[in-house]
Amino acid sequence: MERARIVVEERCPGLPVTEELTEGDPVESLLAAAGDSQAVVLGSRDMVPMAGYYLGDIGLRVVARADAPVVLVREREATGPSAEDGPVVLGLSLEGPCEALCEFAFDTAARRGVLLRAVHGRSLPDDAYTRSGVDSRASRRATERAQTELAEALRPWREKFPQVRTAERVRTESPAQAVVRGATGAGLLVVGRRRNRPALSPPVGHALSSAVHHAPCPVTVVPHG
């Protein structure tokens, strides 16, 4: 704990740092800390050959239950844009309210002074597929519909944060693939977790699981809804 504090103080001079060692279950301790925090940051080591699957049991349970945003940072040797340089990528499902998610992403982009890139993945409807392949007209209609919905979801936040440069992209593929591919070159990926999930469903959805396991940058999971 003392070594960790010293490292932080060396890298961030002037930042107040406290340390606390708790007894008991680590998940419950982290959840308790999340109760009065703006965010919880969890890290893990990049262990080859399972480097992509870095969210362990503790991290998964904290992500699934925390009331505060959870930031997941993987220790890795690969080089890339720093958190200050890369854009903030916002993964949106467009299913239900997402105010907390959008506000966190826009506020983070504003404080960092970087581009916010919104990404939405949508699988094509069944009628877009024919015996000869994908019907271009059906694909175009689905894409245009998704683009309209994405622009409408972003409109109030663009008005609230006029200083934030924004870009948006609809990918006609599964949300899980779209979010991970859309995070290429990002400094941070922001995704959401709905608090009220069905009782028998997994603790996190497929798109969120793909993001936290495979994204090439730190990931923030924001509880909402």
Side-chain angles (χ1 to χ4, degrees):
M1 293 288 289
E2 183 178 359
R3 287 198 300 270
R5 176 182 55 79
I6 291 173
V7 170
V8 173
E9 289 176 340
E10 289 176 347
R11 295 186 180 184
C12 305
L15 178 69
V17 180
T18 62
E19 54 187 275
E20 180 181 354
L21 185 62
T22 64
E23 296 181 351
D25 182 75
V27 173
E28 298 303 326
S29 297
L30 288 167
L31 291 174
D36 57 2
S37 304
Q38 292 186 353
V40 176
V41 181
L42 302 179
S44 67
R45 299 191 180 279
D46 202 0
M47 296 178 292
V48 179
M50 298 297 288
Y53 296 89
Y54 75 102
L55 185 60
D57 182 59
I58 291 176
L60 180 63
R61 287 189 283 165
V62 172
V63 166
R65 296 171 54 192
D67 287 329
V70 178
V71 186
L72 304 167
V73 183
R74 187 187 331 177
E75 182 178 349
R76 58 191 304 168
E77 296 180 357
T79 58
S82 68
E84 292 78 18
D85 296 332
V88 171
V89 173
L90 169 61
L92 280 177
S93 71
L94 301 179
E95 296 179 359
C98 53
E99 285 80 6
L101 177 61
C102 290
E103 183 163 19
F104 183 94
F106 271 83
D107 181 66
T108 302
R111 287 186 287 105
R112 295 186 178 189
V114 298
L115 173 75
L116 183 139
R117 184 166 70 230
V119 177
H120 171 70
R122 180 171 300 189
S123 300
L124 293 176
D126 293 340
D127 61 6
Y129 297 94
T130 67
R131 292 182 178 179
S132 58
V134 176
D135 185 313
S136 60
R137 290 177 298 179
S139 175
R140 184 169 57 253
R141 287 195 300 268
T143 301
E144 291 174 350
R145 187 182 311 113
Q147 289 172 336
T148 299
E149 294 174 6
L150 180 58
E152 183 60 24
L154 296 174
R155 180 182 55 78
W157 302 102
R158 283 171 163 155
E159 295 174 354
K160 184 175 181 179
F161 293 89
Q163 75 277 30
V164 175
R165 296 174 294 120
T166 61
E168 58 193 76
R169 182 171 185 182
V170 170
R171 304 181 69 102
T172 52
E173 58 189 355
S174 74
Q177 291 177 319
V179 168
V180 173
R181 293 177 180 176
T184 300
L188 179 70
L189 171 63
V190 181
V191 292
R193 173 188 64 82
R194 296 207 174 274
R195 289 188 174 94
N196 301 317
R197 290 180 59 80
L200 299 180
S201 64
V204 297
H206 181 55
L208 173 54
S209 178
S210 294
V212 299
H213 284 120
H214 301 293
C217 62
V219 179
T220 298
V221 182
V222 181
H224 65 101

